[in-house]
Amino acid sequence: QSAVDNGGGGRSGAMSSPSVLESVEKIDVNPPKGTRDFPPEDMRLRNWLFHHFKEVSRLYGFEEVDFPVLESEALYIRKAGEEIRDQLYCFEDRGNRRVALRPELTPSLARLVMQKGKSVPLPLKWFAVGQCWRYERMTRGRRREHYQWNMDIIGVPEVTAEAEIISSIVTFFKRIGITSSDVGFKVSSRKVLQELLRRYPIPEDLFSKVCIIIDKIEKIPIDDIKKELKSTGIPEEAVEELLELLSIKSLTKLEEKLGGSVEAISDLKQLFLLAENFGYSDWIQFDASVVRGLAYYTGIVFEGFDREGKLRAICGGGRYDKLLSTFGGDDVPACGFGFGDAVIVELLKEKGLLPELSLQVENIVCALDRDLQGAAATVATVLREKGQTVDLILESKPLKWVFKRAARVNAQRLILVGNTEWQKGMVGVKILSSGEQFEIKLDELE
Ligand SMILES: OCc1cccc(Br)n1
């Protein structure tokens, strides 16, 4: 921090002279552990990804919303033993308030829906793209922030809502060249688990805890899963039956196990029928082991996975009909998904589908001598007012340097402002791809 704080935090202004600046240690120029900078080439890829997120949301008639990155910690205090709770990036602010960097967007969305109350007629179809945080011990070298795309439908109890949001993700994948041979969705319902647990004398509040333990089934040894399940107090035979149930990969077998009248079965059958109508049947499969790691899901849950099994889940979501009531609001049916910006990029790299995104500039405008810098500014302004992109050379540079820059910024043409031409109200033009060059009146330039 310079002795003279010129506010902007940028380069020290004329106000402060070197003598008053304290000599500071060389600062670490890297971003904080687990976080990323986005230099231009990475920012182009991020903008490309977000453009597709937002275009799909628009295609589906969703409205964009956003919330503070900083939220009350209370939004995330759930007692189900979720990883997201263990990794909460939380602190006490100067007003002694317990706050947290949001680890996900759904609770903020639920808060805003409650805040809006009756003023927003249901159903709501909202989407957001926002940075989310977790404080994870860096032992695993994993990131502490990522950007998440969320789409949520609030106020629709029918499975058509889940079918619609899965359709939106399929549309996104197709737009970026991912096919159903690359990825699929494992789909299940927490009502399957609920139905089974209902057949044992188990307190209702255990349900979320059991789901969170089961979500770790592919991440920790099965004996640890059994140990954790038993530690919740559910009877041994329930644990065994539960694990056997989770291995079911067909709805028919599930129906044989649970009986056809079960709501979970009818929901899932309806979803698979709608998938036919949406045209994405070959993208989804029933898999009873999918429960997802968030406590508030109450029905259909799904996750996008890469069929080669090399990557973590690409996205995930489901129905959460009780979240608003846990915040003290009325019960409002809701479903949605979260889609992170990291795994999808790994998948695109794997598939050789990363887009070629280079800087493109239509014009480089350059004054051929110092006293024509003003004329060059006029030329640049004329072009920009016509909607043309212009990289204006801002200092006197040798032509060799200008050509080098033109190549670096992929300029299509060079506009040279020279004395002789300028006297006639003209400029020199060089088309860089063909080498063709000519003079033209400024007002004829387009
Ligand atoms: O996927 C869960 C998650 C939440 C916040 C930040 C990051 Br990185 N990952």
Side-chain angles (χ1 to χ4, degrees), residues 200-246:
Y200 291 88
I202 294 172
E204 273 290 305
D205 70 338
L206 267 190
F207 175 65
S208 289
K209 278 199 178 77
V210 169
C211 290
I212 301 310
I213 294 167
I214 289 167
D215 181 60
K216 297 184 279 191
I217 202 150
E218 287 174 8
K219 298 161 195 162
I220 64 174
I222 191 67
D223 288 345
D224 294 351
I225 295 282
K226 289 182 179 175
K227 213 180 294 172
E228 286 193 35
L229 286 173
K230 286 170 194 157
S231 70
T232 65
I234 62 176
E236 178 114 16
E237 64 272 26
V239 170
E240 292 312 320
E241 193 176 7
L242 194 59
L243 295 174
E244 185 214 319
L245 178 91
L246 294 175

Side-chain angles (χ1 to χ4, degrees), residues 45-59 129 149 151 168 171-177 355 357:
L45 178 59
R46 177 174 131 184
N47 284 335
W48 171 86
L49 194 64
F50 288 14
H51 166 73
H52 286 293
F53 286 162
K54 296 185 175 185
E55 264 307 284
V56 169
S57 306
R58 190 181 65 81
L59 275 176
V129 181
W149 170 40
M151 288 177 83
S168 69
T171 300
F172 168 78
F173 281 133
K174 286 179 173 176
R175 282 173 69 98
I176 61 172
L357 303 165

Side-chain angles (χ1 to χ4, degrees), residues 84 102-104 132-134 142-146 148:
I84 212 161
R102 65 189 177 196
E104 51 164 332
C132 296
W133 294 81
R134 65 181 174 194
R142 282 176 52 187
R143 280 190 327 322
R144 287 185 173 153
E145 53 76 24
H146 74 173
Q148 233 187 56

Side-chain angles (χ1 to χ4, degrees), residues 67-325:
F67 329 95
V69 176
L70 186 74
E71 285 276 16
S72 162
E73 183 187 45
L75 248 55
Y76 313 107
I77 301 300
R78 304 186 288 254
K79 297 177 178 52
E82 295 155 288
E83 188 181 68
I84 212 161
R85 165 90 194 266
D86 306 340
Q87 297 170 351
L88 203 54
Y89 218 130
C90 53
F91 56 96
E92 191 157 296
D93 72 8
R94 293 174 189 270
N96 302 107
R97 292 178 204 82
R98 291 294 308 167
V99 288
L101 296 182
R102 65 189 177 196
E104 51 164 332
L105 300 175
T106 306
S108 301
L109 180 130
R111 177 180 60 69
L112 183 58
V113 170
M114 284 181 63
Q115 178 199 128
K116 290 294 179 190
K118 303 273 183 279
S119 70
V120 283
L122 298 179
L124 294 174
K125 297 178 183 180
W126 287 354
F127 81 93
V129 181
Q131 192 174 37
C132 296
W133 294 81
R134 65 181 174 194
Y135 189 87
E136 188 165 24
R137 301 266 162 268
M138 283 314 276
T139 42
R140 287 203 282 180
R142 282 176 52 187
R143 280 190 327 322
R144 287 185 173 153
E145 53 76 24
H146 74 173
Y147 284 83
Q148 233 187 56
W149 170 40
N150 277 221
M151 288 177 83
D152 291 85
I153 298 176
I154 312 289
V156 175
E158 288 81 16
V159 170
T160 39
E162 289 93 320
E164 170 84 332
I165 57 175
I166 293 174
S167 166
S168 69
I169 308 174
V170 169
T171 300
F172 168 78
F173 281 133
K174 286 179 173 176
R175 282 173 69 98
I176 61 172
I178 297 282
T179 70
S180 57
S181 337
D182 301 318
V183 307
F185 292 88
K186 291 175 186 166
V187 181
S188 184
S189 169
R190 285 205 172 168
K191 292 178 186 170
V192 170
L193 208 58
Q194 207 165 30
E195 180 53 36
L196 187 112
L197 294 177
R198 204 171 274 144
R199 300 177 182 186
Y200 291 88
I202 294 172
E204 273 290 305
D205 70 338
L206 267 190
F207 175 65
S208 289
K209 278 199 178 77
V210 169
C211 290
I212 301 310
I213 294 167
I214 289 167
D215 181 60
K216 297 184 279 191
I217 202 150
E218 287 174 8
K219 298 161 195 162
I220 64 174
I222 191 67
D223 288 345
D224 294 351
I225 295 282
K226 289 182 179 175
K227 213 180 294 172
E228 286 193 35
L229 286 173
K230 286 170 194 157
S231 70
T232 65
I234 62 176
E236 178 114 16
E237 64 272 26
V239 170
E240 292 312 320
E241 193 176 7
L242 194 59
L243 295 174
E244 185 214 319
L245 178 91
L246 294 175
S247 62
I248 297 177
K249 308 280 183 218
S250 101
L251 261 184
T252 319
K253 283 206 171 44
L254 184 73
E255 194 163 6
E256 286 160 14
K257 171 85 185 158
L258 294 182
S261 62
V262 166
E263 201 179 27
I265 304 277
S266 51
D267 283 354
L268 286 160
K269 278 184 173 175
Q270 174 64 355
L271 182 74
F272 279 83
L273 269 179
L274 285 162
E276 280 288 337
N277 302 119
F278 275 107
Y280 62 73
S281 292
D282 52 350
W283 290 75
I284 65 169
Q285 64 200 54
F286 172 73
D287 183 328
S289 68
V290 175
V291 284
R292 299 298 295 160
L294 292 167
Y296 48 68
Y297 287 129
T298 54
I300 297 271
V301 283
F302 57 86
E303 69 189 29
F305 70 99
D306 80 294
R307 293 191 188 278
E308 288 190 21
K310 292 182 182 169
L311 307 172
R312 299 187 309 284
I314 302 164
C315 57
R319 178 162 289 281
Y320 53 96
D321 287 348
K322 298 249 181 301
L323 183 62
L324 276 82
S325 51

Side-chain angles (χ1 to χ4, degrees), residues 364 391 393 400-411:
I364 283 205
D391 177 34
I393 303 301
K400 190 160 173 278
W401 181 94
V402 177
F403 275 97
K404 212 166 155 197
R405 181 172 175 85
R408 194 175 71 75
V409 303
N410 279 328

